[in-house]
Amino acid sequence: MNSTSPTSFDSLLLEHADDLLLLVDPQTQRICAANRATCTRLGYEHEQLLERPITDIGRSLADIFYWEEVAAGNIQEVESSEGLYRCADGSLFPVDERISLVDHDKRRWLLIRAHDITHQRDEKAHLESLTSLLRATLESTADGILVCDERGHLINMNQRFAALWQLPEDILARGDDGEVIAFMAGRQDDAEGYLARFADIIRLHEEHTLDTLELDSGQVLEQRSQPQYLEERIIGRVFTFTDITQRRAAERQLKQSEAAFRSLVEGSPDIIIRYDSDCRAVYVNQMLEVSTQLDRSMVLGQTPTGRVFEGDRDREHYEAALRQVIASGEPQEIEIQVRSREDEPRIHHVRMAAERGESGVVGALAFGRDITDIIRAEVELRIAAIAFESLEAIAITDAEERIIKVNRSFCRITGYSAEEALGKTPGQLLKSGRHDPMFYAEMWRALTYEKHWQGEVWNRRKNGDIYPEWLNITAVTDPAGRICNYVAAFSDISLHKKAEAEIHTLAFYDPLTALPNRRLLLDRLEHTMASSARNKRHGAVLILDLDRFKELNDTKGHNIGDLLLIEVANRLQECVRADDTVARLGGDEFVVILVDLGPNPRQAAAQAEIIAEKMRSAINRPFTLQSSEYHTSPSIGICLFGNQEISIDELLKRADTAMYQAKRSGRNTIRFFDPATHAAMEARIALDTDLRRALPEDQLLLYFQPQIEGSGRIQGAEALLRWQHPKQGMVSPLVFISLAEDTGLIVPIGQWVLETACRQLKAWENDSVSRYWSLAVNVSAHQFRQDNFVEHVLSIVEKTDIDPSLLKLELTESLVLDNVDDTIAKMQALKAAGICFSLDDFGTGYSSLAYLSRLPLDQVKIDQSFVRNIGVTGADEVIIQTILGMAENLGLEAIAEGVETEEQLEFLRRNGCTYFQGYLFGRPIPIDDFHNRHRTND
């Protein structure tokens, strides 16, 4: 964070949040801070993001903010929205942005929180595709479909359902399930009975239901329902509604036709009328009265009357044919519509023949037969023939199960031709062997007593493939009730089963390794812990993290990283038993559940360690990925569970603690959960939380320890960081400095130290005693390696307007020798501005004189570990003499730290040391005490 950033920004949230977090100055529209997740996702180093215009990152951020209005305080809220972010490589990804305004130090800042929704969009697209397929399927059927959940609440319906029930648009728009069911009930005579029946179907979970519904419009609907299952649990019910109005009408007409046929058998099956040569009826049989609205008396002696026919056109056609027969003597056959007694137009086939006498044609006979039902039956047969060739496979067998007819879909699905199927039984052709005898016994019991069975069956195609199908079998009986045929209709549900399996896999398994994901892991762990407690047998949770996996990802690419994760998953599965579980939590972290390790905790721990060691050895073996060999190792944490009451979260947390202990122990190791270590980690986490508040809450202090010339006169001081904790008091730098370095807080803290020290130098300039005092400031490696370190130091020097020659930056040996060229370049840039450098802890590392001669140093500081042994260890005295000689030869000042005795001081003076620091001259103290003591002494 640069000098213009608000220091109150929550560093813990910034560094460890999974979402992308950006802090933006609304006046400059530039980024002031970003968390690690942002840098990783966008592909930038943290320093590359700082001061970058926010519009470089977010394509939608250029026009959704009124920046001047925000900066002026005229806008109090900024709406959230979805947008696209641009990575360093130019690629875009979608995010859900949430933007809030933050006031701090009389300034306003924008805090942008962006959540990567790439995965959600992909899942949404996939689900929309499945939903579209389901909707297309629903809308393609001729039946009305209504889908409810297990409590009877409506989930879905197709357009055919709405059309069958004539649902009003307003009810459809509201989508209230109670209103829809009530409307359906209201269209029936017994509305309350239907509501009760619907409720019973839902409540009793009947396997299959069939009801016939007569509506107020005269429609007759057949209602079928069946439950829907997920893992043997009913999750809903599907209702299908078929319009059987025409079928009922056809059945009614067929019954009438049968009655007419019986009457014709008893008498004449036709209407018979005898005409004279003038076309007057001289005889009519009783079928006229049966078939029409007329008495015979109304027809006798009359030419064809319009009251018999449907219209004038039929009457004229009839009379013309009749006269033609009488005139020519040739027979005629016509079809006309006759109005029946029910005032319904009926189609009659009329055969006319001339009646001859001695003088020729003396009249004619007309035989009229009602063929209305025959025509309708032909239509029904054509419809049945079309339905028989539907998408569903249909096979019809005789009573002995021998196939007598199949449709084209049967041949398409099974692979058998009609010729191959005829005469065979379905079992001979299709039986897969997956079902036991009890399954078929139950099927035949239902067919025998209920005359129907439906369910899911696995069958075999001609090519040997086994596939799932949804099968409906209906037994057809003769008038005596004996089964004469079986009609089987089935459809291939392979795609449906595959979709179900894919959905299950996406929900419960890691897509990369095919291992159980967190959701399935937690479910199995819950069952395993309950079983262990119930059976008093121990289990164990192992958390495994790959060492330095990020380095492999960064250097070789995510493709190689993914291949490694797949191979690691395979090896881990080879190390465990069938009942154990290997899961992937994400990244390079795996979790293993070991079950049934025995009743004795020591025995369980021993077994867990053996399996963990087996895993460690397996992963230590080389991996061959894309023809190259790679090596990695695991850090494994183990936590046992058994009779003790512990939550899943706490169990995983303990195993995670043990894993991090393995990391700190040098990696490639195994550690069991240790309560003491856990407590230490908890304390460290709490201290980290407090440390993040230390800087914004002004809890950090600078203490000053004098640096003395050989004459005893104060030459300057070293600024030393202290933390005044509000509850714990003064916290040792040995405790919190290392914590700050581990968490990255050392960078903002180091910047604060440098700026505070420079302000103190400026204050000293106004005092004649302290005007020429120098001030040494320690610089951490993290701070020095920042790309903008030089610029930041120079800006502080310029802002505080100090004499740069009085500022001395102390660097450690390990820092300067890490990337020597970069170190020299930065030191030379600062040296050119007049800033001095001191090499701290000199002699404790592995300094190369060749490197040291290239560094623009002003001073070397002899480490106190050597000074402490003056008069004790001759070897350390020789090292000090060597350092002093080397410093003299290189033209460098030498200062000794940790001087506590006159003996040490005398030795150092005698060997040419000219500057000193240590308790002999004063301990580190606050600035006011430092002034009171050393200005007077000086």
Side-chain angles (χ1 to χ4, degrees):
M1 184 181 295
N2 63 21
S3 60
T4 62
S5 303
T7 57
S8 63
F9 187 62
D10 190 340
S11 299
L12 176 61
L13 180 63
L14 181 66
E15 288 301 326
H16 293 281
D18 292 332
D19 289 340
L20 281 64
L21 294 175
L22 292 161
L23 196 65
V24 180
D25 186 340
Q27 294 180 340
T28 64
Q29 304 175 27
R30 293 182 178 271
I31 299 170
C32 298
N35 67 342
R36 185 179 296 109
T38 302
C39 300
T40 302
R41 185 65 183 88
L42 295 177
Y44 288 101
E45 295 294 333
H46 185 265
E47 294 73 22
Q48 294 175 321
L49 281 176
L50 296 183
E51 295 302 323
R52 180 178 291 275
I54 187 61
T55 51
D56 288 357
I57 305 303
R59 293 181 58 185
S60 62
L61 293 174
D63 53 2
I64 69 169
F65 296 136
Y66 303 96
W67 292 98
E68 293 181 359
E69 294 296 317
V70 172
N74 297 329
I75 295 180
Q76 298 300 319
E77 294 183 357
V78 181
E79 294 184 356
S80 300
S81 63
E82 290 189 6
L84 292 175
Y85 275 19
R86 181 184 293 107
C87 296
D89 60 4
S91 62
L92 300 176
F93 65 95
V95 297
D96 178 24
E97 296 169 331
R98 299 187 180 181
I99 303 156
S100 57
L101 302 175
V102 179
D103 290 323
H104 181 80
D105 288 343
K106 300 181 179 180
R107 290 199 56 189
R108 172 158 293 182
W109 306 84
L110 289 179
L111 176 61
I112 301 175
R113 179 177 179 176
H115 181 68
D116 188 342
I117 59 174
T118 303
H119 181 64
Q120 291 93 321
R121 284 197 175 178
D122 292 343
E123 285 190 341
K124 180 179 179 183
H126 180 65
L127 288 175
E128 287 177 350
S129 175
L130 292 178
T131 302
S132 176
L133 178 61
L134 175 60
R135 170 54 60 183
T137 303
L138 287 175
E139 296 302 340
S140 66
T141 180
D143 294 335
I145 303 295
L146 178 69
V147 184
C148 301
D149 63 18
E150 72 275 11
R151 293 173 295 178
H153 297 307
L154 270 60
I155 297 175
N156 207 343
M157 66 179 73
N158 66 355
Q159 295 179 4
R160 178 58 176 163
F161 170 83
L164 282 177
W165 285 95
Q166 300 177 5
L167 283 173
E169 291 295 334
D170 57 336
I171 294 180
L172 286 173
R174 288 191 292 272
D176 185 281
D177 46 9
E179 192 175 7
V180 172
I181 300 302
F183 179 85
M184 295 165 61
R187 293 204 56 196
Q188 303 174 61
D189 290 338
D190 187 5
E192 293 183 358
Y194 180 77
L195 291 174
R197 172 58 177 158
F198 188 88
D200 285 344
I201 292 174
I202 298 297
R203 178 174 56 83
L204 299 176
H205 300 310
E206 296 183 44
E207 188 65 23
H208 301 285
T209 66
L210 174 63
D211 297 277
T212 301
L213 313 177
E214 295 185 2
L215 308 189
D216 51 10
S217 63
Q219 283 180 281
V220 182
L221 301 182
E222 187 175 78
Q223 172 185 287
R224 297 176 180 270
S225 78
Q226 62 188 51
Q228 298 296 299
Y229 293 91
L230 177 63
E231 296 181 351
E232 300 183 355
R233 181 176 68 85
I234 293 178
I235 61 171
R237 180 170 287 271
V238 176
F239 291 82
T240 60
F241 299 87
T242 305
D243 189 347
I244 61 172
T245 306
Q246 291 186 353
R247 190 177 76 194
R248 281 295 180 89
E251 291 172 354
R252 189 165 52 249
Q253 294 302 326
L254 284 173
K255 289 179 181 179
Q256 294 174 355
S257 178
E258 290 174 358
F261 179 75
R262 285 193 296 270
S263 297
L264 288 173
V265 170
E266 294 172 357
S268 174
D270 301 328
I271 297 175
I272 302 174
I273 304 176
R274 184 180 180 191
Y275 292 96
D276 61 16
S277 58
D278 296 324
C279 297
R280 297 179 184 274
V282 294
Y283 172 77
V284 179
N285 72 349
Q286 62 180 353
M287 288 308 300
L288 178 68
E289 294 181 350
V290 174
S291 302
T292 71
Q293 298 177 345
L294 302 177
D295 293 332
R296 283 181 288 180
S297 60
M298 300 173 66
V299 175
L300 291 172
Q302 303 293 324
T303 57
T305 175
R307 285 179 292 182
V308 176
F309 303 99
E310 177 64 19
D312 290 341
R313 185 175 180 180
D314 287 303
R315 183 190 60 77
E316 292 171 357
H317 182 40
Y318 180 89
E319 186 173 352
L322 179 60
R323 294 188 182 279
Q324 176 68 26
V325 170
I326 294 174
S328 65
E330 297 294 329
Q332 294 282 331
E333 292 191 22
I334 63 171
E335 289 184 2
I336 57 172
Q337 292 194 68
V338 175
R339 185 158 295 280
S340 68
R341 296 186 67 86
E342 293 79 15
D343 198 27
E344 176 188 5
R346 306 284 293 180
I347 300 174
H348 283 243
H349 180 268
V350 181
R351 293 177 291 109
M352 298 178 181
E355 183 179 357
R356 299 179 185 275
E358 294 180 358
S359 59
V361 176
V362 296
L365 291 174
F367 301 87
R369 177 167 295 181
D370 188 341
I371 62 170
T372 305
D373 295 330
I374 296 175
I375 292 176
R376 290 179 177 176
E378 289 176 351
V379 172
E380 292 291 339
L381 286 174
R382 285 195 295 272
I383 293 173
I386 294 172
F388 186 75
E389 295 300 340
S390 66
L391 292 176
E392 278 196 329
I394 299 176
I396 302 175
T397 74
D398 58 20
E400 284 72 37
E401 304 172 48
R402 291 187 295 268
I403 297 174
I404 59 176
K405 189 171 182 60
V406 296
N407 67 354
R408 286 192 292 269
S409 293
F410 176 94
C411 301
R412 174 179 54 81
I413 292 175
T414 66
Y416 290 100
S417 65
E419 292 74 15
E420 292 172 319
L422 295 180
K424 305 289 197 310
T425 66
Q428 291 174 323
L429 295 177
L430 308 176
K431 198 169 185 178
S432 67
R434 283 201 176 187
H435 302 290
D436 57 24
M438 288 296 295
F439 175 84
Y440 293 105
E442 176 60 25
M443 176 191 293
W444 284 110
R445 186 203 65 76
L447 287 171
T448 301
Y449 294 101
E450 301 171 18
K451 303 299 185 287
H452 179 262
W453 182 91
Q454 69 175 356
E456 184 179 304
V457 177
W458 288 87
N459 272 339
R460 186 187 303 274
R461 306 186 206 274
K462 181 180 179 180
N463 63 7
D465 290 345
I466 295 176
Y467 67 98
E469 68 181 29
W470 184 258
L471 173 63
N472 280 277
I473 305 177
T474 301
V476 181
T477 58
D478 61 17
R482 295 184 296 267
I483 294 175
C484 55
N485 295 97
Y486 294 100
V487 178
F490 60 88
S491 56
D492 187 342
I493 59 173
S494 300
L495 293 178
H496 176 72
K497 300 287 284 186
K498 182 180 179 182
E500 284 183 345
E502 289 178 353
I503 292 172
H504 182 270
T505 299
L506 289 173
F508 294 102
Y509 290 88
D510 172 46
L512 177 64
T513 62
L515 293 177
N517 60 13
R518 175 181 287 274
R519 183 177 178 184
L520 184 54
L521 167 74
L522 295 179
D523 182 68
R524 290 188 181 177
L525 187 53
E526 180 180 7
H527 286 86
T528 301
M529 292 176 67
S531 176
S532 294
R534 186 171 55 251
N535 299 322
K536 295 180 170 47
R537 298 183 70 82
H538 287 79
V541 168
L542 287 69
I543 291 187
L544 181 148
D545 189 86
L546 299 181
D547 299 329
R548 298 183 178 88
F549 177 75
K550 185 177 183 301
E551 296 178 8
L552 176 67
N553 251 357
D554 292 343
T555 57
K556 300 300 181 181
H558 290 281
N559 183 42
I560 293 297
D562 288 348
L563 292 177
L564 178 65
L565 292 174
I566 293 170
E567 289 301 315
V568 167
N570 293 335
R571 292 189 186 183
L572 290 178
Q573 288 178 297
E574 293 172 356
C575 296
V576 299
R577 301 160 299 176
D579 293 336
D580 298 330
T581 296
V582 178
R584 181 186 176 216
L585 289 187
D588 59 334
E589 193 170 60
F590 296 84
V591 177
V592 179
I593 304 174
L594 302 179
V595 302
D596 197 16
L597 297 179
N600 185 288
R602 290 191 176 182
Q603 176 187 358
Q607 288 194 55
E609 186 172 14
I610 290 173
I611 296 174
E613 180 58 36
K614 186 177 179 182
M615 294 176 180
R616 193 186 70 82
S617 299
I619 296 175
N620 271 281
R621 297 198 307 270
F623 291 86
T624 302
L625 308 174
Q626 291 187 350
S627 304
S628 297
E629 188 173 283
Y630 298 92
H631 295 267
T632 189
S633 61
S635 294
I636 304 175
I638 305 174
C639 185
L640 298 179
F641 60 86
N643 298 329
Q644 72 274 27
E645 292 186 4
I646 182 174
S647 68
I648 293 176
D649 288 342
E650 181 62 24
L651 177 63
L652 292 173
K653 185 177 179 181
R654 291 181 177 184
D656 200 50
T657 299
M659 185 272 289
Y660 278 107
Q661 181 62 25
K663 288 277 189 187
R664 287 194 297 274
S665 299
R667 297 185 174 90
N668 196 23
T669 58
I670 301 168
R671 289 292 182 270
F672 280 83
F673 170 73
D674 177 33
T677 301
H678 182 65
M681 285 193 66
E682 292 286 351
R684 181 178 173 86
I685 292 172
L687 192 65
D688 173 60
T689 301
D690 291 345
L691 183 58
R692 294 179 185 277
R693 291 196 291 264
L695 190 57
E697 295 181 5
D698 296 327
Q699 298 173 13
L700 298 181
L701 306 171
L702 281 187
Y703 275 34
F704 296 83
Q705 187 175 29
Q707 293 183 339
I708 307 300
E709 296 178 350
S711 63
R713 183 180 180 85
I714 183 171
Q715 177 262 345
E718 180 179 1
L720 299 169
L721 182 63
R722 295 293 185 267
W723 179 15
Q724 183 66 44
H725 193 282
K727 294 181 179 179
Q728 301 180 26
M730 194 66 72
V731 180
S732 171
L734 297 177
V735 174
F736 76 85
I737 292 296
S738 61
L739 177 62
E741 289 178 341
D742 290 343
T743 60
L745 287 174
I746 196 65
V747 174
I749 289 175
Q751 293 171 352
W752 175 84
V753 169
L754 182 60
E755 188 167 347
T756 304
C758 288
R759 286 200 299 267
Q760 186 57 55
L761 271 176
K762 185 63 178 177
W764 283 347
E765 285 186 13
N766 299 323
D767 190 306
S768 59
V769 175
S770 59
R771 179 175 301 162
Y772 300 107
W773 287 355
S774 64
L775 189 56
V777 178
N778 289 284
V779 177
S780 74
H782 288 82
Q783 186 180 2
F784 187 82
R785 293 302 172 210
Q786 300 297 306
D787 289 342
N788 63 343
F789 175 73
V790 173
E791 292 78 6
H792 186 71
V793 173
L794 293 178
S795 70
I796 292 176
V797 170
E798 181 180 358
K799 183 171 65 174
T800 55
D801 192 27
I802 64 168
D803 180 355
S805 65
L806 298 178
L807 176 62
K808 182 165 51 180
L809 302 182
E810 291 194 0
L811 310 177
T812 62
E813 283 189 68
S814 59
L815 186 157
V816 299
L817 294 180
D818 180 20
N819 195 349
V820 175
D821 292 337
D822 179 67
T823 300
I824 292 174
K826 289 180 177 178
M827 290 178 68
Q828 287 177 342
L830 293 174
K831 185 73 173 177
I835 297 172
C836 300
F837 287 96
S838 176
L839 189 60
D840 196 11
D841 300 334
F842 187 71
T844 59
Y846 301 93
S847 301
S848 167
L849 292 179
Y851 285 142
L852 289 178
S853 64
R854 295 171 56 194
L855 297 172
L857 293 169
D858 298 277
Q859 184 185 73
V860 293
K861 178 178 279 191
I862 302 172
D863 189 69
Q864 60 181 336
S865 62
F866 301 122
V867 175
R868 188 184 304 117
N869 289 327
I870 292 175
V872 178
T873 305
D876 287 338
E877 294 178 351
V878 172
I879 291 175
I880 291 174
Q881 292 169 338
T882 302
I883 293 172
L884 291 171
M886 181 203 67
E888 182 180 2
N889 291 332
L890 292 175
L892 303 176
E893 293 179 356
I895 182 171
E897 66 175 350
V899 180
E900 299 180 356
T901 66
E902 291 290 346
E903 179 185 0
Q904 294 169 349
L905 178 61
E906 178 58 30
F907 176 85
L908 291 166
R909 281 176 171 168
R910 189 170 61 247
N911 286 279
C913 187
T914 53
Y915 297 97
F916 311 94
Q917 179 181 344
Y919 286 178
L920 182 62
F921 310 103
R923 293 174 176 271
I925 54 179
I927 187 61
D928 292 339
D929 295 341
F930 185 86
H931 283 162
N932 293 337
R933 176 178 300 180
H934 295 291
R935 288 182 74 258
T936 303
N937 293 342
D938 211 45

